[in-house]
Amino acid sequence: DADVTQTPRNRITKTGKRIMLECSQTKGHDRMYWYRQDPGLGLRLIYYSFDVKDINKGEISDGYSVSRQAQAKFSLSLESAIPNQTALYFCATSDRVYTGELFFGEGSRLTVL
Amino acid sequence: QKEVEQNSGPLSVPEGAIASLNCTYSDRGSQSFFWYRQYSGKSPELIMFIYSNGDKEDGRFTAQLNKASQYVSLLIRDSQPSDSATYLCAVNTNAGKSTFGDGTTLTVKP
């Protein structure tokens, strides 16, 4: 089983719908991140959390919200999806000592029609 | 100016050649530097990290860092078709989060 698991892996939805992407990890890491990847644009940080009570906005947080339900779980929500949120979303973790290495989930491909 | 910029691709090299990937960053407070490899449709995976000026070698891969010039590079020696992927440069500051470049797509032709 993957150490960082994202669900769903693929989702097609319509404009205006609420969508939740979930991430769970078994690595025991404190730090969790949500990134978005668009073709040719690398990875952009949406939100990050250094522990259950610490949530921070990244560079592109507008239109998104997150919830850190437990050390191992970090969910990303799109309250009212729009077509330009169509992208590949990655959850990642890193440890407290923070060597800097990110461990990524397999990605969630979201299409908003 | 983007915080992290990578040389525009795609980059194509013949099998056995040296592939050179470059990255510049704007924040002089950046402290650690990473190269991730991403195969098409897959998640990124770390291949090299470097903290200090100079070279760091790991097998066929060499990372080079020059903090004065705000420049980090990745050299892949004896390139193989299996090295064909997108390479992402990432830079970390004390804030504990990674900023990525847009990536450079490398194709190694047999």
Side-chain angles (χ1 to χ4, degrees), chain A residues 9 31 33 35 37 40-43 45 48 50 57 59 88 90 94 98-102 104-107 109, chain B residues 2-3 32 34 36 38 41-46 49 51 86 88 92-93 95-103:
Chain A
R9 295 290 312 282
R31 302 183 176 201
Y33 307 78
Y35 282 92
Q37 187 173 39
L41 291 182
L43 294 162
L45 184 62
Y48 61 106
F50 286 172
K57 293 182 177 181
E59 59 183 305
L88 182 59
F90 285 104
S94 67
Y98 198 58
T99 60
E101 180 178 2
L102 293 170
F104 288 89
E106 294 175 308
R109 186 170 297 280
Chain B
K2 295 191 68 172
E3 289 186 51
S32 50
F34 304 83
Y36 290 85
Q38 185 177 25
K42 302 295 185 181
S43 56
E45 58 178 340
L46 183 73
F49 66 90
Y51 300 147
T86 295
L88 299 165
N92 290 8
T93 65
K97 55 186 175 72
S98 296
T99 300
F100 285 80
D102 289 344

Side-chain angles (χ1 to χ4, degrees), chain A residues 4-72:
Chain A
V4 184
T5 303
Q6 293 183 230
T7 56
R9 295 290 312 282
N10 288 283
R11 174 65 63 89
I12 300 173
T13 190
K14 295 182 179 181
T15 296
K17 295 292 187 180
R18 184 177 187 272
I19 290 294
M20 178 180 287
L21 306 179
E22 298 183 327
C23 178
S24 63
Q25 52 114 347
T26 58
K27 298 191 74 66
H29 289 167
D30 288 320
R31 302 183 176 201
M32 299 186 73
Y33 307 78
W34 276 104
Y35 282 92
R36 165 179 174 160
Q37 187 173 39
D38 296 278
L41 291 182
L43 294 162
R44 292 183 289 168
L45 184 62
I46 306 172
Y47 271 96
Y48 61 106
S49 170
F50 286 172
D51 65 38
V52 175
K53 296 182 180 179
D54 179 69
I55 304 286
N56 304 281
K57 293 182 177 181
E59 59 183 305
I60 57 163
S61 59
D62 287 349
Y64 301 94
S65 63
V66 291
S67 172
R68 184 81 184 265
Q69 301 95 323
Q71 186 208 33

